[in-house]
Amino acid sequence: MLSRLFAIASKEVRQLRRDRLTFGMIIGVPLLQILLFGFAIDLDVRNVNSAVSDHANTSLSRQVIAATEASQVVKITQSAAGPEELEALLDAGEIDVGIYIPHDFERRLIDDNRPAGQLLINGSDPTVEGIVRRLGSMPLPGKQQPPNLFESRTYYNPEGRSPVNIVPALIGVILHLTMVLFTAIAIVRERERGNLELLITTPVKSAELMLGKIVPYVLIGLIQVTLILWVSQYLFDVPVRGRVIDLYLASVIFILATLALGLFVSTLAKTQFQATQLTIFTFLPSILLSGFMFPFDGMPRLAQWIGEVIPLTHYIRLSRGILLRGADLSQLHSEIWPLLAFFGVFLVLATLRFNKQLD
């Protein structure tokens, strides 16, 4: 019995060794996870994009602003004329925290019954909620005890309900997983069933075949978006403050980007099992580096650069901006062109690899 078990085990090892893709996944997945969790993932929120409106403009107020930025919790990138401009920057998604210092700032510091300044917080991003506690208890220069420095005003999700923050991002997570998986399996399934040879003999060109494969899944993706929106509104009371048509347009662009990735994966895989493995391999960095689970601003600069290449990062910003902040696509145009570029690049790569396989 031991000899037979050894023979079967040896055969399985030889098959794994010949299957380079599976063997690479055995090594690649643990390495990817340990690198992501050990190097890129940081639960501390740091360097959050912020703007300041200093109406006091005194030596002490400037010291407070400098101490606030020195804490590395926020990164002050802009100055604003007043609270209204801070709100406009929040609506446009350019900042996550607005710091307002009123003209009677020093007099307010003497009065312990009211806060001296105000923090305007983007409540659509759950990762910035800890800023209130950290900045509110920050000691002033020359003060031993931290005063009642800032009060907070949370926008877009003042109740702090988790579904409001999670559902808009979850739309992108579901679309990414299903669209990449469906498309990756589509071409591989044609090859396994022998239908690919029949398609080759037809006048259909490679680019036409690729586009024809993804068109039905665009409709399927929009049906998924509709279903998620319906459930989120009626079961979780998630608001829709922007235009639904803007969300659908953003979703179409994101779906095209993920489908192009799925087509590229299908040119790498030889079996449906390999296609599933590669889909999971692409899913891990997407969900970990996009800001869905962990603070994007807390990641090292290199990890943020990688995250900016991931389509899910931009779609999460789009969906949260449209659904929670009421932003339109003109305000979020900087998140659109990376998705279009990703779609174009991976559609070309998939077509070139497909042509090479035919040759």
Side-chain angles (χ1 to χ4, degrees):
M1 183 182 70
L2 290 176
S3 62
R4 291 193 296 270
L5 286 175
F6 181 77
I8 296 297
S10 300
K11 171 183 174 297
E12 190 67 21
V13 170
R14 287 195 297 270
Q15 285 182 332
L16 287 173
R17 190 169 53 190
R18 287 194 294 266
D19 188 352
R20 295 181 180 179
L21 184 58
T22 302
F23 186 77
M25 294 289 291
I26 293 172
I27 304 298
V29 170
L31 284 178
L32 179 65
Q33 286 184 316
I34 192 64
L35 288 175
L36 288 178
F37 280 99
F39 171 71
I41 304 304
D42 190 345
L43 297 178
D44 292 331
V45 182
R46 295 194 302 269
N47 298 321
V48 177
N49 286 330
S50 308
V52 63
S53 175
D54 183 6
H55 280 191
N57 196 26
T58 63
S59 175
L60 182 58
S61 68
R62 288 191 290 271
Q63 291 180 46
V64 169
I65 294 172
T68 301
E69 192 165 24
S71 68
Q72 297 185 348
V73 177
V74 297
K75 179 177 63 176
I76 298 175
T77 58
Q78 301 186 53
S79 61
E84 296 80 9
E85 188 173 346
L86 290 175
E87 291 178 355
L89 292 173
L90 284 172
D91 289 338
E94 296 184 27
I95 61 171
D96 287 314
V97 176
I99 304 172
Y100 173 59
I101 298 179
H103 61 87
D104 57 345
F105 178 69
E106 295 190 16
R107 189 174 63 188
R108 285 170 174 259
L109 287 176
I110 302 174
D111 186 0
D112 292 334
N113 295 322
R114 60 176 180 170
Q118 189 178 52
L119 295 177
L120 284 63
I121 306 294
N122 174 15
S124 66
D125 188 347
T127 61
V128 301
E129 293 176 359
I131 293 175
V132 178
R133 176 175 50 82
R134 294 171 66 179
L135 289 184
S137 61
M138 185 187 67
L140 281 174
K143 301 279 187 179
Q144 293 183 352
Q145 296 295 330
N148 188 16
L149 187 56
F150 291 114
E151 70 171 353
S152 63
R153 181 179 177 184
T154 303
Y155 289 71
Y156 319 123
N157 184 20
E159 301 89 357
R161 295 191 298 117
S162 295
V164 174
N165 291 322
I166 293 175
V167 169
L170 196 59
I171 299 174
V173 173
I174 294 172
L175 287 176
H176 176 92
L177 180 60
T178 56
M179 293 297 102
V180 175
L181 182 60
F182 290 165
T183 320
I185 290 177
I187 298 293
V188 178
R189 185 172 57 240
E190 298 282 8
R191 186 183 293 114
E192 287 183 340
R193 294 177 178 177
N195 296 334
L196 198 57
E197 289 76 8
L198 295 176
L199 290 172
I200 294 171
T201 59
T202 65
V204 177
K205 298 179 181 179
S206 298
E208 295 170 343
L209 175 61
M210 294 293 178
L211 290 173
K213 280 290 183 183
I214 68 176
V215 167
Y217 295 106
V218 174
L219 179 59
I220 292 173
L222 292 178
I223 292 173
Q224 288 183 324
V225 172
T226 303
L227 179 63
I228 297 170
L229 281 179
W230 183 82
V231 173
S232 65
Q233 281 190 281
Y234 285 93
L235 292 185
F236 303 110
D237 195 27
V238 175
V240 180
R241 297 191 174 96
R243 297 191 305 171
V244 176
I245 186 64
D246 284 343
L247 180 66
Y248 277 113
L249 289 174
S251 299
V252 167
I253 299 172
F254 175 68
I255 289 169
L256 289 174
T258 53
L259 290 176
L261 176 61
L263 285 175
F264 179 72
V265 168
S266 71
T267 64
L268 300 175
K270 296 181 180 178
T271 65
Q272 295 186 48
F273 176 68
Q274 288 183 347
T276 304
Q277 286 181 308
L278 284 173
T279 299
I280 296 174
F281 190 76
T282 65
F283 187 66
L284 282 175
S286 294
I287 198 171
L288 294 177
L289 297 181
S290 62
F292 172 68
M293 294 184 63
F294 303 101
F296 190 86
D297 292 323
M299 294 187 294
R301 185 63 60 183
L302 177 61
Q304 292 184 21
W305 289 343
I306 298 173
E308 293 291 346
V309 181
I310 295 173
L312 184 58
T313 303
H314 302 282
Y315 184 76
I316 288 176
R317 295 170 183 167
L318 285 167
S319 61
R320 282 176 173 166
I322 294 170
L323 292 178
L324 304 184
R325 300 200 309 269
D328 55 39
L329 291 182
S330 63
Q331 295 175 298
L332 301 170
H333 63 89
S334 60
E335 309 299 338
I336 295 292
W337 70 261
L339 295 177
L340 293 173
F342 189 93
F343 166 67
V345 168
F346 274 87
L347 183 62
V348 170
L349 289 175
T351 304
L352 293 176
R353 279 196 57 84
F354 186 71
N355 288 332
K356 184 178 180 181
Q357 289 176 348
L358 296 183
D359 295 337

